[in-house]
Amino acid sequence: REEEDLDSLNKRVAELDPKSSTPPENFVDLPLSTPTQDGLSASHFKTLTTIQSRTIPLAIQGLDILGAAKTGSGKTLAFLVPVLENLYRKRWTEYDGLGALILSPTRELAIQIFEVLRKVGRNHTFSAGLVIGGKSLQEERERLGRMNILVATPGRMLQHMDQTADLDIGNLQILVLDEADRIMDMGFKQTIDALVDHLPAERQTLLFSATQTKKVSDLARLSLKEPEFVSVHEAA
Ligand code: ADP
Ligand code: MG
C-alpha cells in the first residue's frame, strides 16, 4: 500500500513539467507526500508565493537551484518543502544519517528556519537539529550523529566537521545555502569553501538569496552544478 503510494508519487513528480506555462497555485496541486501536505495545511499554507511556485517543481525533481527573491517572499518553504520531499521519496530513515544540511548566516535566522521545519515537517519521522553554538561542542556532538536534517551556522558546522571524528556526512543528499548574499557579506566564503570540501560531490544544492550579486554568483559557481536560475522581481 505504502509502496504503491510512493510509486505513484514518484511517477507524478517525474511527469511534472516544471516549466509549465501555468505554474502551480496551490500546494495541493503539487505532487507532495501526505505528511508534507498535512503539515502545510495544518500550518495554514495554501497558496504558493511566486518564488515557491517557480522553484519547488524544479527542486523536487532534484535539480540545483539558484533562487533570488526579496526578503519576505517565502524562500524558507521554497527549500524546506524540497528537503522534506526529496528525503521522503528516498525513504530516508534514522539509520541513513545526515541527509540535508541547511546553512544560514546567523543564529537567529537558523532558529527561524528550524521553527518552520518543525511546524511543516511535524508529520514526518525525520530527526532535525540546530547547530548554532551556545552549547558545548560535546553536547551538540552527541545529538549530531542522530540527525537527518541539520540547520546550522557555517562557522559552527565547520568546527564540528573538523573536530568530530565520527560525524558522518558521506551520505548527504541536499545542501541548502540560505541568504547566500549575507553569508558572503559576513565573510563566510572560506568557511563555506571548506565545508563544501567535506561534502559528497554527488548531491543537490539549493542556493537562495535576497539579491543577485557578483559574490553570490561566485559562490554559486563553486557549489552548484548547471543550476536553474530563478529570479523573482517585483512588478514595475
Ligand atoms: P524570505 O525567506 O523570502 O524572507 P520567509 O520564508 O521568511 O521569506 O516568509 C516570509 C513570511 O511569509 C513568513 O511569515 C511566512 O510564514 C510567510 N509565507 C511564506 N510562504 C507562504 C505561503 N505560501 N502562504 C502564506 N504565507 C507564506
Ligand atoms: Mg529567509
Side-chain angles (χ1 to χ4, degrees):
R1 181 75 251 265
E2 247 172 65
E3 287 289 307
E4 218 171 278
D5 288 350
L6 197 51
D7 283 350
S8 85
L9 182 60
N10 280 327
K11 192 157 172 279
R12 288 177 62 212
V13 171
E15 285 168 352
L16 189 67
D17 174 9
K19 304 250 165 88
S20 159
S21 54
T22 52
E25 273 181 40
N26 297 313
F27 285 106
V28 293
D29 301 330
L30 283 170
L32 303 177
S33 67
T34 306
T36 296
Q37 291 288 13
D38 290 349
L40 287 165
S41 70
S43 310
H44 309 290
F45 293 121
K46 184 169 177 278
T47 315
L48 284 85
T49 67
T50 308
I51 188 75
Q52 290 162 4
S53 75
R54 303 230 355 244
T55 55
I56 292 175
L58 295 159
I60 61 176
Q61 290 188 316
L63 296 166
D64 280 7
I65 305 278
L66 173 53
K70 66 174 171 129
T71 301
S73 56
K75 295 188 290 296
T76 315
L77 287 180
F79 58 79
L80 286 183
V81 168
V83 161
L84 290 168
E85 286 305 290
N86 294 355
L87 293 181
Y88 178 87
R89 294 205 324 278
K90 286 174 197 264
R91 304 162 196 266
W92 209 257
T93 73
E94 56 183 310
Y95 305 108
D96 295 309
L98 188 63
L101 174 62
I102 300 165
L103 296 174
S104 161
T106 69
R107 298 181 57 180
E108 292 67 31
L109 287 166
I111 293 168
Q112 283 177 26
I113 294 167
F114 189 70
E115 280 167 359
V116 180
L117 175 62
R118 279 221 300 220
K119 267 203 308 185
V120 170
R122 64 182 149 195
N123 300 311
H124 282 280
T125 55
F126 306 129
S127 51
L130 260 175
V131 178
I132 55 174
K135 290 209 179 79
S136 74
L137 264 183
Q138 182 58 37
E139 248 177 287
E140 272 186 359
R141 180 178 299 153
E142 281 164 10
R143 297 177 309 127
L144 230 69
R146 301 195 295 266
M147 296 304 171
N148 297 139
I149 303 172
L150 285 179
V151 184
T153 48
R156 190 60 165 186
M157 194 62 216
L158 183 60
Q159 215 179 341
H160 278 292
M161 284 182 180
D162 286 340
Q163 296 177 25
T164 305
D166 57 353
L167 176 60
D168 186 10
I169 39 176
N171 230 357
L172 189 94
Q173 306 291 308
I174 310 163
L175 171 68
V176 177
L177 298 166
D178 188 29
E179 304 251 355
D181 41 0
R182 273 184 80 185
I183 287 181
M184 295 302 270
D185 287 341
M186 289 173 67
F188 280 128
K189 175 162 188 307
Q190 287 191 331
T191 308
I192 298 291
D193 286 351
L195 271 169
V196 167
D197 270 348
H198 283 275
L199 303 178
E202 203 49 51
R203 58 156 207 273
Q204 182 180 20
T205 304
L206 308 176
L207 190 152
F208 283 90
S209 71
T211 56
Q212 286 273 30
T213 65
K214 166 91 170 43
K215 285 182 187 171
V216 170
S217 24
D218 285 348
L219 188 62
R221 192 155 34 79
L222 290 171
S223 52
L224 299 168
K225 265 190 235 147
E226 299 168 31
E228 298 287 333
F229 296 91
V230 177
S231 176
V232 174
H233 301 286
E234 281 171 273

Coordinates of all heavy atoms in Angstrom, one line a residue, residues 60-134:
I60 N 12.0 19.6 -6.5 CA 11.6 18.3 -6.1 C 11.9 17.2 -7.2 O 11.9 16.1 -7.0 CB 10.0 18.2 -5.7 CG1 9.2 18.5 -6.9 CG2 9.7 18.9 -4.5 CD1 7.7 18.4 -6.6
Q61 N 12.3 17.8 -8.3 CA 12.9 16.8 -9.4 C 14.4 16.7 -9.2 O 15.0 16.0 -10.1 CB 12.5 17.4 -10.8 CG 11.0 17.2 -11.0 CD 10.7 17.5 -12.5 OE1 11.2 18.5 -13.1 NE2 9.8 16.7 -13.1
G62 N 14.9 17.3 -8.2 CA 16.3 17.0 -7.9 C 17.3 18.0 -8.5 O 18.5 17.8 -8.4
L63 N 16.8 19.0 -9.1 CA 17.7 20.0 -9.8 C 18.4 21.0 -8.8 O 17.8 21.3 -7.8 CB 17.0 20.8 -10.9 CG 16.4 19.9 -12.0 CD1 15.4 20.7 -12.8 CD2 17.6 19.4 -12.9
D64 N 19.6 21.4 -9.1 CA 20.2 22.5 -8.4 C 19.5 23.8 -8.7 O 19.1 24.1 -9.9 CB 21.7 22.6 -8.7 CG 22.5 21.6 -8.0 OD1 21.9 20.7 -7.3 OD2 23.8 21.7 -8.1
I65 N 19.4 24.7 -7.7 CA 18.6 26.0 -7.9 C 19.5 27.1 -7.4 O 20.1 27.0 -6.3 CB 17.3 26.0 -7.0 CG1 16.4 24.8 -7.4 CG2 16.6 27.3 -7.2 CD1 15.6 24.9 -8.6
L66 N 19.5 28.2 -8.2 CA 19.9 29.5 -7.6 C 18.7 30.4 -7.7 O 18.3 30.8 -8.7 CB 21.1 30.0 -8.5 CG 21.6 31.4 -8.2 CD1 21.9 31.6 -6.8 CD2 22.8 31.8 -9.1
G67 N 18.2 30.7 -6.5 CA 17.0 31.4 -6.4 C 17.2 32.8 -5.8 O 17.8 32.9 -4.7
A68 N 16.6 33.8 -6.4 CA 16.7 35.1 -5.8 C 15.4 35.8 -5.7 O 14.6 35.8 -6.7 CB 17.7 36.0 -6.6
A69 N 15.0 36.2 -4.5 CA 13.7 37.0 -4.4 C 13.9 37.7 -3.0 O 14.5 37.3 -2.1 CB 12.6 36.0 -4.3
K70 N 13.2 38.9 -3.0 CA 13.4 39.8 -1.9 C 13.0 39.2 -0.6 O 12.2 38.2 -0.5 CB 12.7 41.1 -2.1 CG 11.2 40.9 -2.2 CD 10.5 42.3 -2.3 CE 9.0 42.0 -2.5 NZ 8.0 42.6 -1.7
T71 N 13.4 39.8 0.5 CA 13.0 39.4 1.9 C 11.5 39.4 2.0 O 10.9 40.3 1.5 CB 13.7 40.3 2.9 OG1 15.1 40.3 2.7 CG2 13.4 39.9 4.3
G72 N 11.0 38.3 2.6 CA 9.6 38.2 2.8 C 8.8 37.5 1.7 O 7.6 37.4 1.8
S73 N 9.5 37.0 0.7 CA 8.8 36.4 -0.4 C 8.6 34.9 -0.3 O 8.0 34.3 -1.1 CB 9.6 36.7 -1.7 OG 11.0 36.2 -1.6
G74 N 9.0 34.4 0.8 CA 8.7 32.9 1.1 C 9.8 32.0 0.7 O 9.5 30.8 0.4
K75 N 11.0 32.4 0.8 CA 12.1 31.5 0.4 C 12.3 30.3 1.3 O 12.7 29.2 0.9 CB 13.5 32.3 0.3 CG 13.4 33.3 -0.8 CD 14.7 34.0 -1.1 CE 15.2 34.9 0.1 NZ 14.3 36.1 0.3
T76 N 11.9 30.4 2.6 CA 12.1 29.3 3.5 C 11.4 28.0 3.0 O 12.0 26.9 3.0 CB 11.6 29.7 4.9 OG1 12.1 31.0 5.2 CG2 12.1 28.7 6.0
L77 N 10.1 28.1 2.7 CA 9.4 26.9 2.2 C 9.9 26.5 0.9 O 9.8 25.3 0.5 CB 7.9 27.2 2.2 CG 7.1 27.3 3.5 CD1 5.6 27.6 3.2 CD2 7.3 26.0 4.3
A78 N 10.5 27.4 0.1 CA 11.0 27.0 -1.2 C 12.1 26.0 -1.1 O 12.3 25.2 -2.0 CB 11.5 28.3 -2.0
F79 N 12.8 26.0 0.0 CA 13.8 24.9 0.2 C 13.4 23.9 1.2 O 13.7 22.7 1.0 CB 15.2 25.5 0.5 CG 15.3 26.3 1.8 CD1 15.4 25.8 3.0 CD2 15.4 27.7 1.7 CE1 15.6 26.5 4.2 CE2 15.6 28.5 2.8 CZ 15.6 27.9 4.1
L80 N 12.5 24.2 2.2 CA 12.2 23.2 3.2 C 11.3 22.1 2.6 O 11.4 20.9 2.9 CB 11.5 23.8 4.4 CG 12.4 24.6 5.4 CD1 11.6 25.1 6.6 CD2 13.5 23.7 5.9
V81 N 10.3 22.5 1.7 CA 9.4 21.5 1.1 C 10.3 20.5 0.2 O 10.1 19.3 0.4 CB 8.3 22.2 0.3 CG1 7.6 21.2 -0.6 CG2 7.3 22.9 1.2
P82 N 11.2 21.0 -0.6 CA 12.0 20.0 -1.4 C 12.9 19.2 -0.5 O 13.1 18.0 -0.7 CB 12.9 20.9 -2.3 CG 12.0 22.1 -2.5 CD 11.3 22.4 -1.2
V83 N 13.4 19.7 0.6 CA 14.3 18.9 1.5 C 13.4 17.8 2.1 O 13.8 16.6 2.0 CB 14.8 19.8 2.7 CG1 15.3 18.9 3.9 CG2 16.0 20.7 2.2
L84 N 12.2 18.1 2.6 CA 11.4 17.0 3.2 C 11.0 16.0 2.1 O 11.0 14.8 2.3 CB 10.1 17.7 3.8 CG 10.3 18.5 5.0 CD1 9.0 19.3 5.4 CD2 10.7 17.6 6.2
E85 N 10.6 16.5 0.9 CA 10.1 15.6 -0.1 C 11.2 14.7 -0.7 O 11.0 13.5 -0.9 CB 9.5 16.4 -1.3 CG 8.1 17.0 -0.9 CD 7.2 15.9 -0.5 OE1 6.7 15.1 -1.3 OE2 6.9 15.9 0.7
N86 N 12.4 15.3 -0.9 CA 13.4 14.5 -1.6 C 13.9 13.4 -0.6 O 14.3 12.3 -1.1 CB 14.5 15.4 -2.1 CG 13.9 16.3 -3.3 OD1 12.8 16.1 -3.7 ND2 14.7 17.2 -3.8
L87 N 14.0 13.7 0.7 CA 14.4 12.7 1.6 C 13.3 11.6 1.8 O 13.6 10.5 1.8 CB 14.8 13.3 3.0 CG 16.0 14.2 3.0 CD1 16.3 14.7 4.4 CD2 17.3 13.4 2.5
Y88 N 12.1 12.1 1.8 CA 11.0 11.2 1.9 C 10.9 10.2 0.8 O 10.8 9.0 1.0 CB 9.6 12.0 2.0 CG 8.4 11.1 2.1 CD1 7.9 10.7 3.3 CD2 7.7 10.7 1.0 CE1 6.8 9.9 3.4 CE2 6.6 9.9 1.0 CZ 6.1 9.5 2.3 OH 5.0 8.7 2.3
R89 N 11.1 10.7 -0.4 CA 11.0 9.9 -1.6 C 12.2 8.9 -1.7 O 12.2 7.9 -2.4 CB 10.8 10.7 -2.9 CG 9.4 11.4 -2.9 CD 8.9 11.7 -4.3 NE 10.0 12.0 -5.2 CZ 10.5 13.2 -5.3 NH1 10.0 14.2 -4.5 NH2 11.5 13.5 -6.1
K90 N 13.3 9.3 -1.0 CA 14.4 8.4 -0.9 C 14.3 7.4 0.2 O 15.2 6.7 0.6 CB 15.7 9.2 -0.8 CG 16.2 9.8 -2.1 CD 17.4 10.7 -1.8 CE 17.6 11.7 -2.9 NZ 18.6 11.3 -3.9
R91 N 13.1 7.4 0.9 CA 12.8 6.6 2.0 C 13.9 6.7 3.1 O 14.4 5.8 3.7 CB 12.8 5.1 1.7 CG 11.8 4.8 0.6 CD 12.2 3.4 0.0 NE 11.6 3.2 -1.2 CZ 10.4 2.5 -1.4 NH1 9.8 2.0 -0.3 NH2 9.9 2.4 -2.6
W92 N 14.3 8.0 3.4 CA 15.3 8.3 4.3 C 14.8 7.9 5.7 O 13.7 8.2 6.1 CB 15.6 9.8 4.3 CG 17.0 10.0 4.7 CD1 17.5 10.5 5.9 CD2 18.2 9.9 3.9 NE1 18.8 10.6 5.9 CE2 19.3 10.2 4.7 CE3 18.4 9.4 2.6 CZ2 20.6 10.2 4.2 CZ3 19.7 9.4 2.1 CH2 20.8 9.8 2.9
T93 N 15.7 7.2 6.5 CA 15.3 6.8 7.9 C 16.4 7.2 8.8 O 17.4 7.7 8.4 CB 15.1 5.3 8.0 OG1 16.4 4.7 8.0 CG2 14.3 4.7 6.9
E94 N 16.1 7.0 10.1 CA 17.1 7.4 11.2 C 18.4 6.7 10.9 O 19.5 7.2 11.4 CB 16.5 7.0 12.5 CG 16.2 5.6 12.6 CD 15.5 5.2 14.0 OE1 16.1 5.6 15.0 OE2 14.5 4.6 14.0
Y95 N 18.4 5.6 10.3 CA 19.7 4.8 10.1 C 20.5 5.4 8.9 O 21.7 5.0 8.7 CB 19.4 3.3 9.8 CG 18.6 2.7 10.9 CD1 17.3 2.4 10.7 CD2 19.1 2.5 12.2 CE1 16.5 1.9 11.7 CE2 18.4 2.0 13.2 CZ 17.0 1.7 13.0 OH 16.3 1.2 14.0
D96 N 20.0 6.3 8.1 CA 20.7 6.8 7.0 C 21.6 8.0 7.3 O 22.3 8.5 6.4 CB 19.7 7.1 5.8 CG 19.0 5.9 5.3 OD1 19.7 4.9 5.0 OD2 17.8 5.8 5.3
G97 N 21.5 8.5 8.5 CA 22.3 9.6 8.9 C 21.9 10.9 8.3 O 20.7 11.2 8.0
L98 N 22.9 11.8 8.2 CA 22.6 13.2 7.8 C 22.2 13.2 6.3 O 23.0 12.9 5.5 CB 23.8 14.1 8.1 CG 23.5 15.6 7.9 CD1 22.4 16.1 8.8 CD2 24.8 16.4 8.1
G99 N 21.0 13.7 6.0 CA 20.5 13.7 4.6 C 20.5 15.1 4.1 O 20.7 15.3 2.9
A100 N 20.3 16.1 4.9 CA 20.2 17.5 4.5 C 20.9 18.4 5.5 O 20.7 18.3 6.7 CB 18.8 17.9 4.2
L101 N 21.7 19.4 4.9 CA 22.3 20.4 5.7 C 21.9 21.8 5.2 O 22.0 22.1 4.0 CB 23.9 20.3 5.6 CG 24.7 21.3 6.3 CD1 24.5 21.4 7.8 CD2 26.2 21.1 6.0
I102 N 21.3 22.6 6.1 CA 20.8 23.9 5.8 C 21.7 24.9 6.5 O 21.8 24.9 7.7 CB 19.4 24.1 6.2 CG1 18.5 23.0 5.5 CG2 18.9 25.5 5.9 CD1 17.1 22.9 6.1
L103 N 22.4 25.8 5.7 CA 23.3 26.8 6.3 C 22.7 28.1 6.2 O 22.1 28.6 5.2 CB 24.6 26.8 5.5 CG 25.4 25.5 5.6 CD1 26.7 25.6 4.7 CD2 25.9 25.2 7.1
S104 N 22.7 28.8 7.3 CA 22.1 30.1 7.5 C 23.2 31.1 8.1 O 24.0 30.6 8.9 CB 20.9 30.0 8.4 OG 20.5 31.2 8.9
P105 N 23.2 32.3 7.7 CA 24.3 33.2 8.2 C 24.3 33.5 9.7 O 25.3 33.7 10.3 CB 24.2 34.5 7.4 CG 22.8 34.5 6.9 CD 22.4 33.0 6.7
T106 N 23.1 33.6 10.3 CA 23.0 33.9 11.7 C 22.2 32.9 12.5 O 21.4 32.2 12.0 CB 22.3 35.3 11.9 OG1 21.0 35.2 11.6 CG2 23.0 36.4 11.0
R107 N 22.5 32.9 13.8 CA 21.8 32.0 14.7 C 20.3 32.3 14.7 O 19.5 31.4 14.7 CB 22.3 32.3 16.1 CG 23.8 31.9 16.3 CD 24.2 32.2 17.7 NE 23.4 31.3 18.7 CZ 23.6 31.3 20.0 NH1 24.5 32.1 20.5 NH2 22.8 30.6 20.7
E108 N 19.9 33.6 14.7 CA 18.5 34.0 14.7 C 17.8 33.4 13.5 O 16.7 32.9 13.6 CB 18.3 35.5 14.8 CG 18.8 36.2 16.0 CD 20.3 36.1 16.2 OE1 21.1 36.1 15.2 OE2 20.8 36.1 17.4
L109 N 18.4 33.6 12.3 CA 17.7 33.1 11.1 C 17.7 31.5 11.1 O 16.7 30.9 10.7 CB 18.5 33.5 9.9 CG 18.3 35.0 9.5 CD1 19.3 35.5 8.5 CD2 16.9 35.3 9.0
A110 N 18.7 30.9 11.7 CA 18.7 29.4 11.8 C 17.6 29.0 12.6 O 16.9 28.0 12.3 CB 20.1 28.9 12.3
I111 N 17.4 29.7 13.7 CA 16.3 29.3 14.7 C 14.9 29.4 14.0 O 14.1 28.6 14.1 CB 16.3 30.1 16.0 CG1 17.6 29.8 16.8 CG2 15.1 29.9 16.8 CD1 17.9 30.7 17.9
Q112 N 14.8 30.5 13.2 CA 13.5 30.7 12.5 C 13.3 29.6 11.5 O 12.1 29.1 11.4 CB 13.5 32.1 11.7 CG 13.3 33.3 12.6 CD 13.5 34.6 11.7 OE1 13.2 34.6 10.5 NE2 13.8 35.6 12.4
I113 N 14.3 29.2 10.7 CA 14.1 28.1 9.8 C 13.8 26.8 10.5 O 12.9 26.1 10.1 CB 15.5 27.9 9.0 CG1 15.8 29.1 8.1 CG2 15.4 26.6 8.2 CD1 17.2 29.1 7.6
F114 N 14.4 26.6 11.6 CA 14.2 25.4 12.4 C 12.7 25.3 12.9 O 12.1 24.3 12.8 CB 15.1 25.3 13.6 CG 15.1 24.0 14.3 CD1 15.6 22.9 13.7 CD2 14.6 23.9 15.6 CE1 15.6 21.7 14.4 CE2 14.6 22.7 16.3 CZ 15.1 21.6 15.7
E115 N 12.2 26.5 13.3 CA 10.8 26.5 13.7 C 9.8 26.2 12.6 O 8.8 25.5 12.8 CB 10.5 27.8 14.4 CG 11.0 27.8 15.8 CD 11.1 29.1 16.5 OE1 10.7 30.2 15.9 OE2 11.5 29.1 17.7
V116 N 10.1 26.7 11.4 CA 9.2 26.4 10.3 C 9.3 24.9 9.9 O 8.3 24.3 9.7 CB 9.6 27.3 9.0 CG1 8.6 27.0 7.9 CG2 9.5 28.8 9.4
L117 N 10.6 24.4 10.0 CA 10.8 23.0 9.7 C 10.0 22.1 10.7 O 9.4 21.1 10.3 CB 12.3 22.7 9.8 CG 12.7 21.2 9.6 CD1 12.3 20.6 8.3 CD2 14.2 21.0 9.9
R118 N 10.0 22.5 11.9 CA 9.3 21.7 12.9 C 7.8 21.7 12.7 O 7.1 20.7 12.9 CB 9.6 22.2 14.3 CG 10.9 21.7 14.9 CD 10.8 21.3 16.3 NE 10.4 22.5 17.0 CZ 10.9 22.8 18.2 NH1 11.7 22.0 18.8 NH2 10.5 23.9 18.9
K119 N 7.3 22.9 12.3 CA 5.8 23.0 12.0 C 5.4 22.2 10.8 O 4.6 21.4 10.8 CB 5.4 24.5 11.8 CG 5.0 25.2 13.0 CD 4.1 26.4 12.7 CE 4.7 27.4 11.6 NZ 3.9 28.6 11.4
V120 N 6.1 22.6 9.7 CA 5.7 22.0 8.4 C 6.1 20.5 8.3 O 5.4 19.7 7.6 CB 6.3 22.8 7.2 CG1 6.1 22.1 5.9 CG2 5.7 24.2 7.2
G121 N 7.1 20.1 9.0 CA 7.6 18.7 9.0 C 7.1 17.8 10.1 O 7.6 16.7 10.2
R122 N 6.1 18.3 10.8 CA 5.8 17.6 12.0 C 5.2 16.2 11.8 O 5.2 15.4 12.7 CB 4.8 18.4 12.9 CG 3.4 18.7 12.2 CD 2.6 19.5 13.1 NE 1.7 20.4 12.3 CZ 1.0 21.4 12.8 NH1 1.2 21.7 14.1 NH2 0.2 22.1 12.1
N123 N 4.7 15.9 10.6 CA 4.1 14.6 10.3 C 5.2 13.7 9.7 O 4.8 12.5 9.4 CB 2.9 14.7 9.4 CG 1.8 15.5 10.1 OD1 1.5 15.3 11.2 ND2 1.3 16.5 9.3
H124 N 6.4 14.1 9.5 CA 7.4 13.3 9.0 C 8.2 12.6 10.2 O 8.0 13.1 11.3 CB 8.4 14.1 8.2 CG 8.0 14.4 6.8 ND1 8.1 13.5 5.8 CD2 7.4 15.5 6.3 CE1 7.6 14.0 4.7 NE2 7.2 15.3 4.9
T125 N 8.9 11.6 9.9 CA 9.6 10.9 11.0 C 11.1 11.3 11.1 O 11.8 10.7 11.9 CB 9.5 9.4 10.9 OG1 10.0 9.1 9.6 CG2 8.1 8.9 11.0
F126 N 11.5 12.3 10.3 CA 12.9 12.7 10.3 C 13.3 13.3 11.7 O 12.5 14.0 12.3 CB 13.2 13.7 9.2 CG 12.8 13.3 7.9 CD1 12.0 14.1 7.1 CD2 13.2 12.0 7.4 CE1 11.6 13.7 5.8 CE2 12.8 11.6 6.1 CZ 12.0 12.4 5.3
S127 N 14.5 13.2 12.1 CA 15.0 13.9 13.2 C 15.7 15.2 12.7 O 16.4 15.1 11.6 CB 16.0 13.0 14.0 OG 17.0 12.5 13.1
A128 N 15.6 16.3 13.4 CA 16.2 17.5 13.0 C 16.8 18.2 14.1 O 16.4 18.2 15.3 CB 15.1 18.4 12.3
G129 N 18.0 18.9 13.9 CA 18.7 19.6 14.9 C 19.2 20.9 14.5 O 19.3 21.2 13.3
L130 N 19.5 21.7 15.5 CA 20.1 23.1 15.3 C 21.6 23.0 15.7 O 21.9 22.5 16.8 CB 19.4 24.1 16.2 CG 18.3 25.0 15.7 CD1 17.7 25.8 16.8 CD2 18.8 25.9 14.6
V131 N 22.4 23.5 14.9 CA 23.9 23.6 15.2 C 24.3 25.1 15.1 O 24.7 25.5 14.1 CB 24.7 22.7 14.3 CG1 26.2 22.8 14.7 CG2 24.3 21.3 14.5
I132 N 24.2 25.8 16.2 CA 24.4 27.2 16.2 C 25.3 27.7 17.3 O 25.4 28.9 17.6 CB 23.1 28.0 16.2 CG1 22.3 27.6 17.4 CG2 22.3 27.8 14.9 CD1 21.0 28.5 17.6
G133 N 25.9 26.7 18.0 CA 26.8 27.1 19.2 C 25.9 27.4 20.4 O 24.7 27.2 20.3
G134 N 26.5 27.9 21.4 CA 25.7 28.2 22.6 C 25.7 27.1 23.6 O 25.5 27.3 24.8

